[in-house]
């Protein structure tokens, strides 16, 4: 089985984003970038399936500017076999990403597509579901456990009420949640080997996909600063304070 793993280059999760002075977006200048954490989990799960003998090849794919090569090299160093970079110097919206991935799925014919449930920069949580609709493949979203047996994929997914288990027939799509696994660190020898692994470069035009933006960001602002808390002497004082604030009836 071939596994396709889409990965995205985002601001490192340890970095506090800064809004541009003119409010047009987030400032990316001199900011540390890394692989989206949910995608790291997806890469790790694909590698574990390969180690179990379920998968024979792992293909990492990313859509973005040339610097996204670094993210793909990280995936290759973790254990992916080859990579595809679809170069776009402008931001591609979730629907455009899903359409491009659908073309890659059609070309590569993977038995399983594993991707992060969302990216931490836009938090859209749309690509996996859109990809399922475009390809007609069954999907298991928010996976906290994945088991493959023959042509059946059993996915334990996190839902509001607890856990739900679904059974999918391959080819299928799985989106990963945080509790699925703990991604490994790439070793120095594997980082060196990753430099020689194949990485194909394509453009959206190669797949015949129009990635023109359909949405326009009007303004980006910092969230309001939280006001300091106050201490009250007892429950009666707390109730009185809440009444003053219009919270308590």
């Amino acid at each position: 089985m071939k596994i396709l793993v889409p990965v995205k280059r985002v601001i490192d999760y340890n970095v506090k984003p800064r809004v541009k002075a003119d409010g047009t977006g987030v400032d990316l200048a001199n900011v540390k970038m890394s692989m989206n954490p949910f995608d790291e989990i997806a890469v790790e799960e694909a590698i574990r399936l390969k180690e179990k003998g379920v998968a024979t090849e792992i293909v990492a794919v990313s859509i973005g500017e040339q610097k996204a090569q670094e993210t793909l090299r990280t995936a290759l160093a973790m254990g992916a076999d080859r990579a595809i970079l679809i170069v776009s110097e402008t931001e591609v919206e979730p629907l455009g990403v899903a359409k491009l991935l659908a073309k890659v799925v059609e070309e590569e014919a993977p038995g399983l597509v594993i991707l992060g449930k969302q990216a931490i920069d836009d938090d859209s949580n749309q690509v996996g579901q859109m990809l399922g609709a475009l390809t007609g493949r069954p999907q298991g979203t928010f996976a906290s456990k994945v088991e493959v047996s023959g042509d059946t994929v059993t996915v334990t997914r996190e839902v509001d009420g607890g856990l739900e288990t679904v059974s999918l027939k391959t080819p299928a799509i799985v989106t990963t949640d945080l509790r699925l696994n703990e991604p490994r660190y790439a070793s120095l020898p594997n980082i060196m080997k990753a430099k020689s692994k194949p990485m194909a470069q394509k453009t959206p035009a190669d797949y015949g996909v129009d990635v023109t933006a359909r949405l326009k960001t009007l303004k980006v602002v910092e969230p309001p600063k939280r006001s300091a808390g106050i201490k009250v002497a007892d429950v009666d004082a707390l109730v009185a304070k809440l009444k003053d604030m219009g919270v308590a009836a």
Side-chain angles (χ1 to χ4, degrees):
M1 177 192 291
K2 181 192 295 183
I3 299 180
L4 183 73
V5 186
V7 297
K8 185 178 184 181
R9 181 176 183 263
V10 300
I11 294 179
D12 189 88
Y13 69 92
N14 286 311
V15 174
K16 185 181 184 300
R18 301 189 307 271
V19 174
K20 292 180 181 178
D22 59 3
T24 57
V26 175
D27 187 2
L28 300 180
N30 302 314
V31 173
K32 181 183 178 184
M33 308 290 282
S34 61
M35 186 188 300
N36 178 46
F38 290 100
D39 297 339
E40 278 190 305
I41 294 169
V43 174
E44 174 65 28
E45 192 64 22
I47 295 167
R48 293 187 184 189
L49 289 174
K50 186 178 180 183
E51 290 172 344
K52 292 176 182 177
V54 173
T56 54
E57 184 183 28
I58 301 170
V59 183
V61 57
S62 189
I63 301 164
E65 57 187 29
Q66 285 287 352
K67 291 180 180 178
Q69 288 187 48
E70 302 165 7
T71 306
L72 286 171
R73 290 295 177 198
T74 300
L76 293 171
M78 288 175 68
D81 298 293
R82 58 186 175 90
I84 302 169
L85 173 61
I86 303 175
V87 181
S88 175
E89 296 302 326
T90 58
E91 185 177 355
V92 182
E93 294 172 354
L95 180 59
V97 172
K99 287 181 176 180
L100 286 169
L101 291 179
K103 293 292 185 181
V104 176
V105 167
E106 182 182 333
E107 188 178 81
E108 294 287 340
L112 199 57
V113 180
I114 306 178
L115 65 160
K117 71 170 184 177
Q118 65 195 74
I120 62 171
D121 54 357
D122 58 17
D123 271 336
S124 292
N125 185 12
Q126 295 174 342
V127 173
Q129 293 88 328
M130 287 177 171
L131 182 59
L134 290 170
T135 59
R137 294 184 170 207
Q139 56 182 293
T141 55
F142 319 138
S144 61
K145 186 177 181 181
V146 177
E147 296 176 308
V148 181
S149 178
D151 64 348
T152 301
V153 182
T154 304
V155 177
T156 302
R157 55 190 304 266
E158 301 196 359
V159 295
D160 290 342
L163 299 176
E164 177 184 65
T165 302
V166 295
S167 180
L168 316 173
K169 288 292 183 183
T170 57
I173 295 168
V174 173
T175 71
T176 61
D177 214 332
L178 285 174
R179 277 169 281 277
L180 180 57
N181 60 51
E182 183 72 30
R184 69 192 66 190
Y185 288 102
S187 64
L188 183 58
N190 286 340
I191 291 173
M192 299 305 293
K193 289 177 185 176
K195 294 180 180 179
S196 60
K197 288 184 178 180
M199 182 184 300
Q201 287 203 22
K202 300 287 188 73
T203 65
D206 292 333
Y207 293 105
V209 175
D210 179 13
V211 293
T212 303
R214 291 169 167 79
L215 303 174
K216 181 181 179 181
T217 300
L218 300 179
K219 190 175 183 182
V220 178
V221 296
E222 293 268 7
K225 295 189 183 304
R226 295 180 62 180
S227 57
I230 60 170
K231 291 184 178 180
V232 293
D234 50 35
V235 174
D236 291 338
L238 173 62
V239 172
K241 185 65 178 175
L242 290 175
K243 285 182 178 180
D244 290 341
M245 295 170 60
V247 176

